[in-house]
Structures are given as C-alpha cells and as structure tokens.
Amino acid sequence: LQNRVMKEYPELENKGIQGNTYYSLVFEMDGSISEVIILRSVAEQINVEIEQYFKEYPQWSAPLNKSGKPVRYRKNMVFRYRI
C-alpha cells in the first residue's frame, strides 16, 4: 500500500506529508469486506487509496467464528505513511 500511494501521489512526498491514517474494516459473515471507514487521516489521497485497495480484494479474510458460527465483525487498523 505504501508503494501504491507513493506511485499515485508523488506530491505527498514533495510536500513532506506523512503520518498515520486510522481506519476500520467491517467483515461480513462470509469474510468479505462490506465497509472501509476512515477514522483519522493525514491526506485525502491516502483515504482514496485505502478504500480502493480493499475494494479490489472483496474476500480479504476467512470468516471469523464464534462458538462455531460465522460472525460479522469490525477490525481497526492503522496505515503508517512515511517518506
């Protein structure tokens, strides 16, 4: 993801923009991602790439099971963008 952002938005590097973008992924019972929620960001361009990146991989993980049954869940994550 870091390389993708740097390739698509070289102006971020030129402006010295760096930092953490916090986001949540909502996984459905089949393991697909239904939502990408940006919680805190350093640049709109990074938000766009995070959202696009996860839309390209709809079946991101195996379903999470609780008591042997698949459940819907939300996972908070961080993307650290450094120059």
Side-chain angles (χ1 to χ4, degrees):
L1 190 53
Q2 173 85 20
N3 291 338
R4 181 177 170 150
V5 170
M6 290 178 83
K7 180 181 175 186
E8 292 294 320
Y9 301 102
E11 70 273 12
L12 294 177
E13 184 176 356
N14 296 338
K15 293 179 182 177
I17 295 173
Q18 59 183 359
N20 297 331
T21 296
Y22 297 89
Y23 60 98
S24 289
L25 300 175
V26 178
F27 293 89
E28 294 300 324
M29 291 188 286
D30 65 356
S32 64
I33 297 171
S34 63
E35 292 181 66
V36 178
I37 304 161
I38 305 298
L39 304 172
R40 189 170 49 166
S41 173
V42 293
E44 182 62 31
Q45 297 93 326
I46 293 174
N47 301 353
V48 169
E49 283 304 312
I50 288 172
E51 290 170 351
Q52 186 61 38
Y53 181 78
F54 287 108
K55 284 180 184 176
E56 291 174 7
Y57 299 98
Q59 186 68 33
W60 187 256
S61 82
L64 181 69
N65 291 303
K66 185 174 183 178
S67 301
K69 296 181 181 181
V71 294
R72 185 175 193 251
Y73 68 101
R74 180 175 170 169
K75 182 173 183 172
N76 293 330
M77 303 179 78
V78 62
F79 171 65
R80 292 176 176 86
Y81 181 73
R82 302 284 184 258
I83 297 173

